Each structure stands twice: as C-alpha cells, then as structure tokens.
Amino acid sequence: MNVEEIGKFFGAFLILTGGIASVISVFGLIRLPDVYTRSHAATKSSTLAVLLSLSGAFLYIFANEQFISVRLLLGIVFVFLTAPVAGHLIVRAAYRSKVKLADISTEDELYDVLHSEKKEKEETDV
Amino acid sequence: MKTNDVILQTTTKLVFFIIFLFSIHIFFAGHYTPGGGFVGGLLTTGAIILLLLAFDLKTVQKALPFNFTIMTGIGLLLALGTASGSIFFNVPFFTHAFDDFTLPLFGVTSLHTAMIFDAGVFLVVVGSAITIIQSIGGDS
C-alpha cells in the first residue's frame, strides 16, 4: 500500500464513520422523549457526522487528485461554527414558547428565573 | 423583558465575513468553475439577511449605507453599457473583448469584459433581493 492508497482508505473510513454517526443521530431523534433531548442528539452527533464526512471527502480528494479543496475546509469551519448556534436558537425558541419538558425530568431552574422576572414586570406595570 | 442575543450576534459577526468572502470567490471563479454573478449575488444577499436576522433593519442600514434600489439601477447600467460598448468598435452587440494582462500580484491574468457584465448581474441580484426583503420586513 502506498501513501495514496492509505489516504484514500482513511478518507473512505472517515466517510463511513460519519454515516454511522448520522444514523445514531437519527436514532436519538426518534427515541428521545422531548424537544430538548432530541435537539441535543440532533445538534451534537449530526454536526460530528457532517464534519467526519467532509473531512473524509477532503482527505479522499487530496489523496486521489492531489487537490486541496479549500471549499471543503471552509465548509468544515462553517458547519462547526454555525450548527451549535442553530441548535441553541431552536431550543431557546422552544423554551420561550413554553414547550413542556419530558416527564422524567426533575429540575427546571430557568423556569423560575424567567417566570419571576415576568411576574415582577407585571407588578411594576400595575 | 430585554432579550439576550449575544451568541447569535457574535456568531453573525464572524460568519458574515466567511459568507461574504466566499461570495466574492464564487463571483470571480465564475468564468472557469461553477459560480458567477447570480450565485455570488445571492450569497451576498444571504450574508446581509443573516445580519438582518441578528440585528434590526436600522442598524444594518447604518452599517451598510447603500440605497439598494439605486444599486439595482447601477447594475443594469453596467450590464447594458458592457453590452452596447461593443457597438462602438464596429462589432455586433454583446461581443466581449478579452486580453492577457500582467498584473503585479497575480501574474498573467486574462481579463474579460464579460466580468463587468457579471458585476452588473451581481449588483442587480443584491439590490433587488435586499429591496424585496427590506420592504417586506419594514413596518413603517
């Protein structure tokens, strides 16, 4: 096996790992009870899946054609930056529109903070 | 209650430049690889829309003090001027000229007048799309 073959093998291996990670992410999306845990599964592991697939494609193209694809590198940086922020915003919007937590959850500290602020504001308005 | 948008705004400040530089790259790469004025213009529009999502209309108007309606007009003028410039050299309408120039940093580069036409398309796309978004989003 020469260097080119090894690079191609690792690229294909990374893409396979990314595919497995994305399947696991989908299982989390189906199986978990409420929107917060689902978003936890969707954000973290599918970001990892996309990053692995893109790195694999980058490595494969580099080994196969000796071409450094700057667009793929930029895509990796971009997804790594934006996917967590998107997950954060979705969960935040869900929490502020009062989506219920799963029944098994025991604590909700943020609820008191948001709720009491609202109460104080209503009192000052009156 | 004042909402706290620190995460979205900080990420936007960083990501805007990535999208904008990529749109410039797409615009200049349009002659030899996929891309061009339309895609580049839409990417720039996307970057500005991201700014509009993270901040409000007035802040973005202050940060980018362009009149986007006039930008559409300038783009149309550029496209029409490039196309009709060929008439003066006794060749058919829309004939484009190109030559190889030696630029200081880039080496030998072939420059086409088709690029100026593409710049017109870019400006028209950005101008009209942002005008649509602004007039839908504005409440006054």
Side-chain angles (χ1 to χ4, degrees), chain A residues 30-92:
Chain A
I30 297 170
R31 297 271 307 168
L32 289 172
D34 64 349
V35 68
Y36 307 105
T37 44
R38 273 182 194 156
S39 153
H40 165 79
T43 313
K44 282 204 182 77
S45 47
S46 56
T47 309
L48 178 71
V50 172
L51 291 184
L52 283 174
S53 310
L54 287 182
S55 320
F58 174 77
L59 203 61
Y60 187 86
I61 292 172
F62 179 59
N64 201 29
E65 299 171 29
Q66 276 75 46
F67 176 72
I68 296 183
S69 171
V70 182
R71 292 181 184 203
L72 277 176
L73 287 181
L74 203 65
I76 292 171
V77 173
F78 191 80
V79 171
F80 195 53
L81 268 179
T82 52
V85 179
H88 160 78
L89 287 174
I90 291 169
V91 170
R92 189 181 137 111

Side-chain angles (χ1 to χ4, degrees), chain A residues 71 74 77-78 81-82 85 88-89 92 96 114 117 121, chain B residues 1 3-5 7-8 11 14-15 18-19 22 25-26:
Chain A
R71 292 181 184 203
L74 203 65
V77 173
F78 191 80
L81 268 179
T82 52
V85 179
H88 160 78
L89 287 174
R92 189 181 137 111
R96 300 219 167 198
L114 285 179
E117 268 187 20
K121 199 194 166 196
Chain B
M1 187 177 65
T3 49
N4 183 3
D5 286 344
I7 296 179
L8 178 61
T11 318
L14 197 64
V15 160
I18 299 180
I19 306 177
F22 188 61
H25 165 74
I26 284 276

Side-chain angles (χ1 to χ4, degrees), chain B residues 99-140:
Chain B
D99 202 0
D100 290 340
F101 294 97
T102 311
L103 297 178
L105 207 58
F106 299 97
V108 178
T109 318
S110 72
L111 296 178
H112 295 242
T113 53
M115 215 276 298
I116 306 173
F117 184 82
D118 235 15
V121 174
F122 184 94
L123 288 181
V124 169
V125 169
V126 173
S128 49
I130 295 293
T131 309
I132 291 171
I133 298 291
Q134 274 183 341
S135 44
I136 290 175
D139 50 354
S140 57

